[in-house]
Every structure is written in structure tokens, then in C-alpha cells.
Amino acid sequence: MKTGCVIMASGLSKRFGGNKLLADFLGEPMIMRILAITEGLFSRRVVVTRHPEIAEICKARGIDAVLHDLPHRSDTVRLGLEAVGDADGCLFCQADQPLLKQETVKALLLSAAQDPGSIWRPCFGENPGSPVWFPRWTFDQLMQLPEGKGGGYIVKAYPHRVRTIQVQDEYELMDADDRETLALLLQRADRP
């Protein structure tokens, strides 16, 4: 199976008060966490960002980055999917989930390989989260999302096609949207 991965790193971090992806997380910028856990798992992986500093970090690690200045989440999705190119499916990851586990990403890929026509996402109890695997049949719709919409628009349109895997830790699916949440996630992080 040809697998794509789009790492969404285009947020403006307004609630955080600075570029949260550059914030320290256990001695390195938070963006490094998602880069590490997706390493070596995909046929093609790309980071979509509006931040030159993030693009430079990616370049230094040999990871393709699409640098843009477009305003909407739908733009980020489209640019990422274009950069991934031909694939049987694509995992869209948020770059601000520092406690996401590689085991969860692997479980999503395994589930997609066994049931390739479904949309796959992790869930803690009844609470679904990210990242989300989209099969090839969704690509045309992802490329034409309404302005400002993301993959959730497709998930809501096809609830009967969505499957979930359970995670054991609610913090794994949390976004570090503000400094208080980042501090909480740091407390919960496994130390090296």
C-alpha cells in the first residue's frame, strides 16, 4: 500500500502567544515530536507550514516541506495532498500533539491496510481525535473542501465510513493550544 502523511503545521498559534511548534518540549522544539513518530512509516511524508523556521527544521532533517501563505485550513489540506501525490491513502497529523504515540500511528496504518475503504481515527472512550487516515476515494473531496474547512468536513459527511481505534491515554490526543495545556502535557510526558 502506498501511504502518504501530511503534517499540518500552518496554525497561527494565537491562543499560545507565539509559534507553539517551536516551544520547548523535553529539550527540543515541539515539531520534532511528530517528525520523530512518523519517521520511516510512510511512502511519502510532507509538512505543510506557513512558518519558514519550521520549513528549515524539516529541511535539516531531510523532510519535504511546503511553505505557503494561504489563509485557510482547506488550503493546507489541498497543498499537502498535492505534495503527497499518488497514494492509496493519507494520514493527516496535527503538529501540536506532542504525546501522540508511534504505536497509535502504526495501528492506524495497520487498520487501514486491513480495511482500506474506511476513514480511520483514534478515539479515547467516546471522544474521537487526530490523526485521521483518509482513503483514496476521499481525495477529490479533500481537494475541494469548502473554504476554511478541514478533513472533519469529510468525516461528518460519511459517518458510516468512519472506524476508530482506542487509545489508553486521553492526553495522547490533546493539542497544545495554549501554554497551560503545554505545561500539562509536559507533566504527562515520558522522560528520556
Side-chain angles (χ1 to χ4, degrees), residues 97 100 104-105 107-108 119-132 162-174:
Q97 288 181 267
L100 183 66
T104 300
V105 174
L108 287 166
I119 298 168
W120 285 92
R121 69 186 314 182
C123 208
F124 178 77
E126 297 296 315
N127 300 316
S130 294
V132 180
V162 178
R163 306 287 180 268
T164 59
I165 61 166
Q166 284 292 318
V167 298
Q168 303 304 310
D169 182 1
E170 65 182 310
Y171 297 98
E172 183 179 355
L173 304 183
M174 270 191 184

Side-chain angles (χ1 to χ4, degrees), residues 28-49:
E28 60 186 9
M30 188 186 342
I31 184 71
M32 299 297 280
R33 302 287 286 194
I34 192 67
L35 299 180
I37 68 159
T38 57
E39 183 78 35
L41 299 179
F42 297 91
S43 307
R44 178 102 166 93
R45 178 174 61 145
V46 65
V47 176
V48 183
T49 186

